[in-house]
Amino acid sequence: MLELQTTEAALKQPLPAKRQSFWGKVWRYRALYLMLLPGLLYYAVYQYGPMYGVVIAFKDYNVIKGVMNSPWADPWYKHFKAFYDSPYFMQTLSNTFLISVYKLVWGMPPGIILAILLNEVRHSLFKRFVQTVSYLPHFLSMVIVYGLMIALLSQTDGLVNQWVKELTGTTIPFLQSTDWFRTLLVTSGIWQHVGWSAIIYLAAIAGIDPTLYEAARCDGAGRLRMMWHITLPGIRAVILLLLVLRLGHILDAGFEQIYIMYNVHVYPVADIIDTWVFRTGLEQMAFSLATAVGLFKSLIGLVLIIGANRLAKRWGGAIW
């Protein structure tokens, strides 16, 4: 009797669906894969295709002979050693790390804070106005931003220096001072991009379950408590994701911004790897040296992004 009941129960269970082949799944979701195709082609042509040029770092590249016909460097690490033996190696490396860390430490919190504050604004018109004003500088060219800095901070006729001169009788060389350069660099970057970064955090905040706030209000929690215990934990994964992605580019430090802002007076605190490569490698047509330094940066970025992701796993925010 027991066996009969077991057999009947087994017959009533639905049969397992037939396992689809790989190409069967592709055909089933062909519309999605078709939309994905342009993005894949872009990365294949412009990101992975040019990677064959990495071999230039191990060759004495000659423009006329081309990549494949140029002779191999002897020894193979010749161009890496040239960068390491350069008297500017430690200076450019330390400047790159310091500027990147300053931008990371001081650049991320303002976007998070602005997003949380905007989320608390109940007047929609005022909220949209602040959002628009804060992210408009993101679309300005760095040349325009530097022009504004000159108009404000120029030692001869800058608006700020005119006020300083009226108060103290002297002027401050903001743009030529090694003491002020990094502060101005980080501050101008925050002003230009804080609104744009806040958009990402606002989108993450919008995905938080509103019933959590309702439950907190019923328990007597104020706005500060809800921000600290609901909003911040709710966007933790996004913060960790952006942190991991920015750590992968920690050796970039912002070539365009620094190249436009720096001058011979601030080289000791402003010269980074990219600007040194541009002057030494590209202007002198030392393409093998420039490629070797680029590969060196990429390998360090890879190690940092893997390490950061492993660390993020402990906090429940890993991206793979």
Side-chain angles (χ1 to χ4, degrees):
M1 187 68 178
L2 181 61
E3 291 181 1
L4 182 60
Q5 290 178 350
T6 306
T7 306
E8 290 178 353
L11 291 173
K12 289 179 181 178
Q13 290 181 353
L15 294 173
K18 187 178 180 181
R19 190 174 180 180
Q20 282 187 314
S21 65
F22 171 76
W23 293 111
K25 290 181 180 179
V26 171
W27 178 253
R28 182 180 178 184
Y29 300 107
R30 57 189 180 278
L32 297 177
Y33 283 109
L34 204 58
M35 289 188 287
L36 186 64
L37 188 60
L40 292 176
L41 288 175
Y42 168 80
Y43 279 99
V45 174
Y46 294 104
Q47 302 293 331
Y48 288 96
M51 285 183 69
Y52 83 97
V54 168
V55 298
I56 295 175
F58 307 99
K59 290 193 170 191
D60 291 324
Y61 178 66
N62 186 298
V63 178
I64 299 175
K65 292 182 179 179
V67 176
M68 296 306 172
N69 295 324
S70 296
W72 292 97
D74 186 25
W76 63 269
Y77 54 85
K78 170 183 175 181
H79 303 294
F80 297 92
K81 189 173 185 299
F83 175 56
Y84 180 77
D85 292 339
S86 167
Y88 301 103
F89 172 75
M90 285 307 301
Q91 177 182 300
T92 56
L93 190 63
S94 61
N95 286 341
T96 304
F97 268 110
L98 280 175
I99 291 173
S100 296
V101 169
Y102 289 159
K103 287 186 173 183
L104 191 64
V105 172
W106 297 104
M108 285 193 70
I112 300 170
I113 295 170
L114 179 61
I116 292 174
L117 293 178
L118 285 173
N119 184 60
E120 296 298 320
V121 174
R122 295 293 174 260
H123 197 288
S124 59
L125 186 62
F126 177 74
K127 182 177 180 178
R128 288 198 297 269
F129 172 76
V130 173
Q131 277 186 281
T132 304
V133 171
S134 62
Y135 73 65
L136 272 180
H138 176 80
F139 300 99
L140 295 179
S141 167
M142 192 58 220
V143 177
I144 298 175
V145 175
Y146 187 58
L148 294 173
M149 294 174 66
I150 291 175
L152 293 172
L153 305 173
S154 174
Q155 190 174 3
T156 55
D157 54 0
L159 182 62
V160 174
N161 261 318
Q162 289 181 13
W163 294 341
V164 173
K165 189 174 182 180
E166 289 179 2
L167 294 173
T168 64
T170 59
T171 57
I172 303 174
F174 290 105
L175 301 176
Q176 292 82 32
S177 171
T178 54
D179 296 329
W180 283 95
F181 179 81
R182 288 174 179 166
T183 302
L184 295 176
L185 186 76
V186 175
T187 306
S188 61
I190 292 173
W191 173 78
Q192 188 176 11
H193 301 296
V194 64
W196 187 258
S197 61
I199 294 175
I200 301 173
Y201 299 116
L202 279 170
I205 291 173
I208 299 175
D209 188 355
T211 57
L212 295 175
Y213 293 101
E214 294 174 6
R217 289 191 195 96
C218 293
D219 291 338
R223 286 195 174 188
L224 289 176
R225 286 283 185 179
M226 287 189 288
M227 282 189 282
W228 184 256
H229 293 288
I230 298 176
T231 308
L232 275 176
I235 62 174
R236 182 182 62 178
V238 176
I239 294 173
L240 289 173
L241 171 62
L242 295 178
L243 176 63
V244 169
L245 293 177
R246 291 186 69 169
L247 280 175
H249 298 277
I250 200 167
L251 289 185
D252 289 342
F255 167 76
E256 180 187 5
Q257 184 185 17
I258 295 175
Y259 186 72
I260 290 172
M261 288 182 60
Y262 82 159
N263 51 71
V264 292
H265 302 288
V266 295
Y267 273 2
V269 296
D271 200 20
I272 61 172
I273 293 175
D274 287 340
T275 53
W276 182 84
V277 167
F278 184 81
R279 291 198 320 274
T280 307
L282 299 181
E283 288 183 354
Q284 299 176 15
M285 299 185 70
F287 298 114
S288 294
L289 175 62
T291 307
V293 177
L295 184 58
F296 166 76
K297 284 178 51 184
S298 300
L299 291 175
I300 291 182
L302 178 63
V303 172
L304 287 173
I305 201 169
I306 292 175
N309 187 67
R310 292 288 175 87
L311 186 63
K313 280 183 178 180
R314 299 185 179 182
W315 299 339
I319 57 175
W320 72 75

